[in-house]
Amino acid sequence: MRVLIFGFLVFCVFGCNSASDELWLKVDMASLHDEGLFKPDEGDKISLAGSFNDWEAGEYYLQDIEDNWVYSYNLNELITEETGELEFKFVITSAKNRELVNGGWERIPNRSITPEDIRREQPVLNFNKPWSPLVTKKLSFRLNMSNQKVLGFFDPDMGDKVAVTGSFNNWNEEGVLLEPAEDSLVYQFTFPAEVRKHEPLVYTYLIIPGTGRNEKVVMPNKGREFINNRYYREELATEYFNNQKRVLRVELTEEWIAQKTLKQDDVLHLKLMWNGSQSRNYRMEPMGEGAYETALQIPETAADLKAKVMVNYEEEVYELNIIKVGLEGGSLLLGM
């Protein structure tokens, strides 16, 4: 009896471990079947071709073991203790010699995967869709918020914070908070994150309004940047929210408007002029109680800045001969 028990234990230790150590490479072919590009009922098969067999198709066939359109191959037949990255592609072959897209080969770049990647993530790949293993990477961000403060969208004194979110955290709405540098409106943070090794890292910045904010304040785009998502670069550089580097905010107070005896239906514009010959008009928007404002981005190369307040596109009611706006932006209040 003891001999039988001992034999059973030996079987479990070696047999069970051996089964659990099997490395199954899997690919989901359901979508290709639905599109009519993979027809196993007509003899189509899928195989592995790679550096391990001189890229010959039709040697290592995958099987639909569970009858669920997920085809598998046991890599234990290919790998050894010295095996590192496997470079390969999936290939469809036709028993009826019908014409296959790209000759049956995947159109994506060669795949690469290690036995450890498979053990850790047990991925189910998709034909013609790239996949990369997760790796831990240290990410660094640095952002200048001075212009958003000028525009009134960011006020750290009211508890506003800035965060970064992206593909590294599944676009979490709260993001990862950046920390303010000393005595500045520059925010930065370095942290480790799990990212896909061969996939571009995409991200955006967002403003998180503080609890001290007035409820009437509305963040454009719910606090997110309205430019396209950013692509991460290894070199750390100071970025600007919405890429707005040189912003001027102009406010006309109710008292100033009254001085100019403007009518209620008058349309106000600010005409900005620079470099002697270039100009652009910006419509001034009512901000309640008879006041108006506008915000504009000034080209970094613009010099000799001047401006005029125009009424109904024609009448000039005020002229500003010298305007100084640095890279951190500036504001101009026309009042009593």
Side-chain angles (χ1 to χ4, degrees):
M1 185 69 174
R2 290 182 179 177
V3 174
L4 290 175
I5 294 174
F6 176 76
F8 177 75
L9 290 174
V10 169
F11 172 78
C12 279
V13 168
F14 290 95
C16 295
N17 282 352
S18 175
S20 64
D21 286 341
E22 289 182 347
L23 295 177
W24 290 95
L25 187 62
K26 300 181 178 182
V27 58
D28 190 333
M29 300 295 292
S31 61
L32 247 67
H33 171 264
D34 294 343
E35 294 170 15
L37 301 176
F38 179 61
K39 303 177 180 181
D41 294 340
E42 298 182 14
D44 286 1
K45 295 182 179 181
I46 182 166
S47 65
L48 293 176
S51 54
F52 44 81
N53 72 338
D54 294 326
W55 298 94
E56 288 291 334
E59 182 177 356
Y60 298 107
Y61 286 109
L62 290 80
Q63 303 295 326
D64 185 1
I65 298 172
E66 298 182 8
D67 196 26
N68 61 353
W69 297 107
V70 175
Y71 284 71
S72 306
Y73 186 84
N74 188 346
L75 285 179
N76 290 74
E77 300 177 20
L78 282 178
I79 66 172
T80 66
E81 292 183 1
E82 291 77 27
T83 301
E85 270 194 338
L86 288 172
E87 192 174 3
F88 69 98
K89 278 187 177 182
F90 296 113
V91 190
I92 298 172
T93 54
S94 171
K96 295 187 176 182
N97 294 321
R98 65 186 180 86
E99 188 174 344
L100 300 172
V101 177
N102 201 38
W105 289 74
E106 291 188 285
R107 297 189 300 271
I108 61 175
N110 294 341
R111 297 180 181 270
S112 62
I113 198 169
T114 67
E116 185 55 36
D117 295 334
I118 300 174
R119 288 190 185 95
R120 185 177 62 252
E121 298 194 54
Q122 300 180 12
V124 177
L125 310 180
N126 287 277
F127 197 89
N128 267 336
K129 292 184 179 179
W131 180 88
S132 296
L134 283 171
V135 294
T136 301
K137 189 174 184 178
K138 192 172 287 188
L139 306 178
S140 295
F141 300 90
R142 186 165 63 215
L143 181 67
N144 190 316
M145 294 296 292
S146 58
N147 286 316
Q148 298 309 300
K149 188 173 188 332
V150 166
L151 295 173
F153 300 137
F154 181 73
D155 190 347
D157 294 334
M158 299 290 263
D160 292 351
K161 301 181 188 319
V162 63
V164 61
T165 189
S167 55
F168 59 86
N169 66 350
N170 292 320
W171 298 96
N172 184 287
E173 292 184 0
E174 296 180 359
V176 177
L177 289 178
L178 305 186
E179 298 176 347
E182 291 186 18
D183 302 323
S184 76
L185 284 164
V186 174
Y187 290 74
Q188 57 192 18
F189 195 52
T190 298
F191 57 92
E194 283 195 330
V195 298
R196 294 290 173 186
K197 184 177 181 181
H198 301 298
E199 294 180 10
L201 194 156
V202 186
Y203 67 98
T204 191
Y205 294 109
L206 59 151
I207 296 172
I208 300 176
T211 55
R213 272 284 192 180
N214 188 313
E215 292 183 0
K216 293 182 180 179
V217 173
V218 178
M219 296 286 183
N221 201 28
K222 297 182 179 180
R224 285 177 177 255
E225 293 185 287
F226 52 73
I227 60 173
N228 293 334
N229 292 330
R230 302 172 182 264
Y231 287 87
Y232 186 80
R233 296 176 297 175
E234 296 299 330
E235 62 274 13
L236 178 62
T238 301
E239 300 179 299
Y240 287 77
F241 198 93
N242 281 331
N243 282 337
Q244 293 173 312
K245 293 184 179 180
R246 196 180 179 195
V247 173
L248 173 65
R249 182 184 182 189
V250 180
E251 296 180 55
L252 307 179
T253 66
E254 182 183 7
E255 293 83 3
W256 190 92
I257 295 291
Q259 275 188 330
K260 305 302 175 184
T261 61
L262 300 174
K263 303 181 184 66
Q264 187 175 1
D265 57 351
D266 284 339
V267 177
L268 300 183
H269 279 79
L270 183 79
K271 182 177 183 180
L272 182 71
M273 300 165 286
W274 68 92
N275 294 353
S277 60
Q278 300 186 61
S279 65
R280 190 177 299 162
N281 288 332
Y282 298 88
R283 179 163 177 156
M284 306 205 72
E285 302 294 340
M287 52 186 296
E289 300 180 359
Y292 286 78
E293 70 172 352
T294 190
L296 48 133
Q297 188 165 339
I298 303 171
E300 290 185 56
T301 57
D304 300 324
L305 293 173
K306 300 178 182 178
K308 294 180 180 179
V309 179
M310 310 290 294
V311 180
N312 300 327
Y313 301 94
E314 297 175 351
E315 182 185 355
E316 173 190 330
V317 294
Y318 194 76
E319 183 173 4
L320 298 158
N321 288 321
I322 300 176
I323 303 175
K324 293 185 178 180
V325 182
L327 277 179
E328 294 190 349
S331 59
L332 188 61
L333 177 67
L334 301 183
M336 287 291 288

